Amino acid sequence: MIIRKVKEVPAEPVMEIGAEKVRRQILLSPSEGAPHFTLRRFEIAPSGQTMYHQHNYEHEIYILSGVGKACGKDSELAVFPNDAILILPDEEHQIVNTGNTPLVFLCLIPNQ
């Protein structure tokens, strides 16, 4: 069993084009021995956003705190703490902070 303290995991800025005011922590990954999934924590500052993108794998998001919206090709849905989001393979998506406090969420992706 491995336990990592979130406060001890370095947060790195997300530098992809279109991402603004986003920091990412890799909590659990193959580096820690996770064979199938990587667990990441994101923090988006007020008025920030992830890049609008898509990829060939599903991922799951769990909103911890803050408010925002999940944007897709044909929709924008408000998100709140304790919301869980499923993003299907090849689905275009973006997460935007619409509040005055950080939007914090966990994101689970398969290891490639």
Side-chain angles (χ1 to χ4, degrees):
M1 181 181 306
I2 295 170
I3 297 175
R4 296 192 77 198
K5 304 292 184 190
V6 171
K7 291 182 179 181
E8 296 173 2
V9 177
E12 58 190 35
V14 175
M15 302 303 294
E16 285 89 356
I17 295 172
E20 298 176 15
K21 303 179 182 181
V22 182
R23 296 184 66 77
R24 169 180 50 216
Q25 293 169 286
I26 308 298
L27 302 179
L28 297 168
S29 70
S31 296
E32 291 74 41
H36 302 291
F37 299 99
T38 293
L39 179 62
R40 307 175 301 171
R41 180 183 181 272
F42 287 82
E43 185 168 314
I44 306 174
S47 76
Q49 64 189 27
T50 65
M51 60 281 189
Y52 188 79
H53 66 291
Q54 67 186 64
H55 32 71
N56 65 354
Y57 52 86
E58 73 174 82
H59 66 286
E60 291 74 24
I61 292 174
Y62 181 77
I63 306 295
L64 295 170
S65 62
V67 296
K69 61 184 177 179
C71 304
K73 184 177 179 182
D74 298 316
S75 65
E76 288 187 2
L77 301 171
V79 296
F80 302 94
N82 299 313
D83 283 351
I85 304 166
L86 171 62
I87 298 172
L88 296 172
D90 300 314
E91 185 174 7
E92 297 173 359
H93 60 282
Q94 178 181 47
I95 306 297
V96 178
N97 184 338
T98 60
N100 297 319
T101 62
L103 174 59
V104 182
F105 61 91
L106 298 177
C107 178
L108 186 70
I109 60 171
N111 295 334
Q112 297 292 312

